Structure formats: C-alpha cells, structure tokens
Amino acid sequence: MRFLPRLGLSAALAIAAFLSWRLLLQTPAHRRGGDLAPKAEEGFTLTLDTFLHVQQLRKRRLRAFCSQAGKVATLASSRDEKASLLPSLRVNTKLDFLYCQVPSTGVEEWHQLLEKLEEENVTLPVPLPYRRLHAKETRLSAFNQTEVKAMLGSYTKVLFVRDPFHRLITTFLQGMGISSSFSSFVQEVLDSGMHNGSVAWKPLVSLCRPCLIQYDYVVMFGFLREELGHLLRQAGLPAGSLPPELTDSQVQWTYRWLSEQMFSELSAQQKKQLSHFYRWDLAAFPFSSSFLSDRPSTVKTWEK
C-alpha cells in the first residue's frame, strides 16, 4: 500500500506532460530561464555560438562560487584519499572523457551514447601527444597520481547538472527510500545529513568537486540533445550517434508542474532545511527557477 502514492504520482506525470507542454508554448521567451531554457517550440535550434556563450556563463558562475566558498581545490595524493574525495568521477579511456556519475542528471543517457560510440569503433580524429591507457577501469580514483593528472589535463571533462528538487522527486518516484509520502521521504533525506546521504540526492558540488575539477562543459538536464550534439562535434565525434530517447526537455517541464504539487506537501521548516542542504548547488549552478532557490542562502552560509 505504501507504493500507491508513487503510482498515483507516476500516472499524474502523463497528464502533466500534456498540460505543462501547452503552458510552456504560451510562456514568453524572456521568462523561460534565459540560457537554461529548453526548447519551447518545434524547430528551435541552439546555435554553436549560443552554446559556447551559455557554457561561458555557467563556468563563470561556477568560478565565482568557488572563489568565495573556499571549496577543496587540491588533488589528494593517496588512493584512499582520492577514493574519498572523488567517488563519483568516471573516465572513458578510449574516447578521453571524464565525467561525474550522478543518477537522474542525464548521465544514464551519456553512458548509452558512449557505449554506442564504442560499438561503432569511433576514434578520436587527431593523434594525441600522450600515451592512451585503454583501461577497462572507469573510476578515476583507481588510477595513480601521474595518470590522474594526465587525464585531468587532457580529457574532455563533462559535468551534468539538474535542479536538486527535481532529483529528489525522481529518487522518490523510483522507490528509493522507505517512506510512503514525499514529505516523509524528504525528512529521511534531511535526517541522513551530508555525509550519510545517498549519491542519488547528495549535492552535486560534494559529489563532483567542480572547484577541484576544471570541467570543460556544464550540461544541464532539459537540453541534453542540443548541448550534447555540440559537445560531440567540438570533440571531433559524430553527433549522429545521439540516442533518440532523449526526451528530457519534455520531462523537465513536466517536473516543473509536479514540483509545485509536491513542494506544497512540505512544511515551512522542511523547505528551509532543503534549501540549506542544497545551498552549494543553488549557488554554483543557475537553478533560478527551482522552488528551492526561493529560500535565501547567503555566501556566508555555504560552508556551515
């Protein structure tokens, strides 16, 4: 019986998809989140110049956060320290990609894309000035210090980000946790704290270390097809390998509708605590439309 609320919410997603898509088409362009807005109408094209400009804006915001928040910016030397500091970082040594593996941010679709490129025996078009490893290992922390530094300096580094409240909703709908209601699940997340929380809901800043890793691309959920197409072309890889299942732009706006419903279930105290729990992500990434961003979080509270 405790799964019935999840079943009801899942059914609501189908209805919300149609309603929210209609609402999106009626929303003026200047209110659709600026550079973060997913495509609002059929035939919309994200140009390369716009894509590169968006990347500059996201990385500029990230650098400003790192300069004020005092986050870790030095690579650990021992393997145990690296495993503790970089638990979510993965590498593809055939295609020279480094990325942060966090569920429900678009990384699942990224894995499908990398697998497809490998099956097609796609290789990088330009000879590289260093020895390629060709390792089956994907955990960055498993490599030695010299190899890690080489990867950080030469691999294309990709960070996938998503509204933290949307990540929470996805985790709840997938049945992770023991709670039967969303408010109870949120309390479970808050009680677990920063150090004991699951990778499914911990803040991206703590999992992906963007103040330590100089990411080349910050890709936002809701615009995967357009952004990944440009990313692949910039890396010299075929953009035609993108899987057809990339429907995150529709899902993003469905979740915007669903967020309003589920946010209303939370107490004022829970809303405040959630905003504090995700204060680093809200400051580091442009989640201006997130329901959690409505709660004040100052620079002075980032480290507390």
Side-chain angles (χ1 to χ4, degrees):
M1 295 294 293
R2 66 187 180 89
F3 295 107
L4 289 178
R6 292 194 180 97
L7 291 174
L9 286 171
S10 298
L13 284 174
I15 300 173
F18 173 73
L19 295 176
S20 60
W21 195 243
R22 287 191 61 189
L23 177 62
L24 174 60
L25 291 175
Q26 297 170 359
T27 304
H30 68 277
R31 295 178 56 192
R32 293 197 296 258
D35 67 305
L36 305 179
K39 63 179 181 179
E41 53 188 320
E42 197 67 29
F44 176 83
T45 301
L46 176 69
T47 66
L48 175 60
D49 287 343
T50 301
F51 169 72
L52 296 177
H53 178 62
V54 165
Q55 290 300 316
Q56 289 179 350
L57 293 177
R58 292 174 185 169
K59 289 187 285 186
R60 183 185 305 164
R61 180 188 182 110
L62 188 53
R63 287 195 301 269
F65 163 77
C66 293
S67 66
Q68 299 179 61
K71 293 286 138 198
V72 175
T74 304
L75 184 64
S77 56
S78 73
R79 179 160 295 188
D80 289 341
E81 288 178 315
K82 288 200 297 287
S84 175
L85 186 63
L86 311 173
S88 300
L89 294 186
R90 299 292 183 269
V91 292
N92 182 298
T93 56
K94 180 178 180 180
L95 298 172
D96 290 4
F97 280 113
L98 183 152
Y99 56 96
C100 187
Q101 181 173 287
V102 177
S104 304
T105 60
V107 74
E108 294 87 354
E109 292 83 351
W110 176 247
H111 281 159
Q112 296 176 23
L113 174 58
L114 294 181
E115 290 175 0
K116 185 176 181 181
L117 290 172
E118 289 191 0
E119 290 173 359
E120 296 173 351
N121 291 318
V122 172
T123 57
L124 294 172
V126 180
L128 300 173
Y130 55 86
R131 179 178 62 87
R132 182 174 279 113
L133 293 172
H134 289 301
K136 292 184 178 180
E137 179 62 66
T138 62
R139 294 172 299 124
L140 180 66
S141 59
F143 294 91
N144 63 42
Q145 189 81 349
T146 301
E147 292 169 336
V148 169
K149 287 185 176 180
M151 292 173 177
L152 291 177
S154 59
Y155 279 22
T156 299
K157 297 169 286 295
V158 186
L159 173 60
F160 295 88
V161 301
R162 188 181 185 184
D163 181 337
F165 195 57
H166 290 187
R167 288 176 57 209
L168 275 182
I169 294 174
T170 300
T171 302
F172 174 71
L173 292 177
Q174 290 174 346
M176 298 184 65
I178 61 175
S179 304
S180 58
S181 69
F182 183 64
S183 60
S184 298
F185 169 70
V186 166
Q187 194 58 51
E188 179 185 339
V189 170
L190 294 172
D191 291 342
S192 70
M194 185 73 70
H195 300 292
N196 299 320
S198 166
V199 66
W201 64 67
K202 287 182 70 173
L204 292 171
V205 167
S206 66
L207 293 170
C208 301
R209 303 292 178 177
C211 297
L212 171 62
I213 308 300
Q214 302 283 322
Y215 287 99
D216 300 298
Y217 298 98
V218 179
V219 177
M220 184 161 289
F221 189 91
F223 222 172
L224 292 179
R225 174 170 296 280
E226 290 76 11
E227 295 200 29
L228 289 181
H230 286 302
L231 189 158
L232 290 179
R233 283 186 284 269
Q234 290 293 102
L237 297 171
S241 298
L242 287 171
E245 298 83 9
L246 292 177
T247 58
D248 55 299
S249 59
Q250 294 93 322
V251 170
Q252 179 78 342
W253 288 97
T254 300
Y255 269 67
R256 180 64 181 172
W257 173 88
L258 192 57
S259 293
E260 185 173 358
Q261 315 306 313
M262 303 186 79
F263 195 69
S264 65
E265 297 182 19
L266 306 181
S267 67
Q269 182 68 11
Q270 286 178 318
K271 294 173 183 178
K272 182 178 179 181
Q273 290 177 326
L274 268 184
S275 292
H276 183 75
F277 185 75
Y278 288 112
R279 63 196 182 279
W280 294 339
D281 284 5
L282 295 172
F285 308 113
F287 296 132
S288 58
S289 62
S290 173
F291 277 78
L292 299 180
S293 66
D294 294 336
R295 297 304 186 279
S297 180
T298 64
V299 175
K300 293 181 180 179
T301 66
W302 289 348
E303 294 182 293
K304 296 181 181 179

